[in-house]
Amino acid sequence: MHLRQFHGGEVMLGLLYTAPAVGAVAVSATSGWLTRAARPGRLLIIAAFTGGLSAVGFGLSGNIWAACALLAVGGAAGTVYEILECALVQHSTPDRLRGRIVSVITTQGTTGGVVGDVEVAALARWFSPGGAAVVNGAVCAVAALAVAVAVPGLRRATLPRDGRDESEDDGPGPDTAGLAPGPDDTVLTKWKYSAFVRTDLLERLRARGRDQLVITGVYAHIGVLMTVCDAWMQDVQAFVVADAVADFSAREHRMALEWAAGRCAVVTTAGRVCAQL
């Protein structure tokens, strides 16, 4: 296509290959806002539609710089789509089906590129490389509109914000003034899910002759659970305070507590812990 439509050489081909990655990197570097969007499902549909339109524009373009800009837009839209797809699938799929759904998505990601290359090559023989891009982009844009109309639940889909669903009632928050670290408290920066990774927490416990750890905080099925597992593997007895840990949903909170209680921790309550201190 770089020869027939843009009349360029290797440098021009390199620009065309690089342009989608530029858009993808730009979105990835600033992607924190995506999962905080009010309607991520709607944004996912918009990303698919935008990607289709950018492919149409690329196929019709006769200017190399316009083509690169459209490819960058397509790369950015594709990255937005993939981020939101992963987040929505993980949040909305029931536990018993999540493995199957993820395997389907993984298979599509592995084979989709190859099948797409074959399909584009076949279209290019019928039309031209630019024509193949136009046809594929148009199909993608139309499919995005069709999904928007046929699947209203996707348009209304949301993700947890600040650790809870938007549908939850915004009541007065808990009084946390008394939880601020005091002058004699040790504050560690947690870099990974487990509080033991890249910190000196274990060394501090051993230096003080401690082999028990009371764990509270967020999120129960992520950081709390990983810390509990690491504590058990380091011969530290972990106590998870059920009513002092939180999670995205009641289901994930319950799953984390049941998993920890059955394998590597004592699950207790704040009242019992305070009574023993």
Side-chain angles (χ1 to χ4, degrees), residues 226-238:
M226 295 302 100
T227 300
V228 165
C229 291
D230 267 3
W232 183 83
M233 288 186 283
Q234 299 293 343
D235 295 323
V236 175
Q237 186 178 15

Side-chain angles (χ1 to χ4, degrees), residues 176-202:
T176 60
L179 300 179
D184 297 326
D185 292 332
T186 299
V187 178
L188 300 177
T189 299
K190 190 162 79 72
W191 298 97
K192 299 292 184 180
Y193 289 150
S194 170
F196 288 93
V197 177
R198 292 175 58 187
T199 72
D200 61 349
L201 175 59
L202 182 61

Side-chain angles (χ1 to χ4, degrees), residues 77-94:
T79 302
V80 170
Y81 180 92
E82 291 182 5
I83 292 172
L84 293 177
E85 177 191 41
C86 180
L88 287 167
V89 166
Q90 291 294 329
H91 175 63
S92 304
T93 306

Side-chain angles (χ1 to χ4, degrees), residues 85 89 97-112:
E85 177 191 41
V89 166
L97 298 177
R98 187 171 295 153
R100 301 176 191 176
I101 298 300
V102 171
S103 67
V104 171
I105 294 174
T106 302
T107 302
Q108 178 268 328
T110 303
T111 61

Side-chain angles (χ1 to χ4, degrees), residues 140-246:
C140 178
V142 171
L145 291 177
V147 169
V149 173
V151 190
L154 179 58
R155 299 197 310 268
R156 296 191 294 266
T158 60
L159 290 170
R161 302 179 68 183
D162 299 325
R164 53 189 173 83
D165 290 329
E166 284 188 339
S167 58
E168 295 180 6
D169 180 39
D170 287 330
D175 182 9
T176 60
L179 300 179
D184 297 326
D185 292 332
T186 299
V187 178
L188 300 177
T189 299
K190 190 162 79 72
W191 298 97
K192 299 292 184 180
Y193 289 150
S194 170
F196 288 93
V197 177
R198 292 175 58 187
T199 72
D200 61 349
L201 175 59
L202 182 61
E203 289 74 13
R204 289 177 178 270
L205 290 173
R206 289 177 173 170
R208 299 185 180 186
R210 304 293 184 182
D211 61 357
Q212 293 181 327
L213 186 64
V214 177
I215 299 176
T216 63
V218 294
Y219 293 100
H221 82 288
I222 305 176
V224 170
L225 206 53
M226 295 302 100
T227 300
V228 165
C229 291
D230 267 3
W232 183 83
M233 288 186 283
Q234 299 293 343
D235 295 323
V236 175
Q237 186 178 15
F239 295 83
V240 179
V241 186
D243 51 350
V245 297

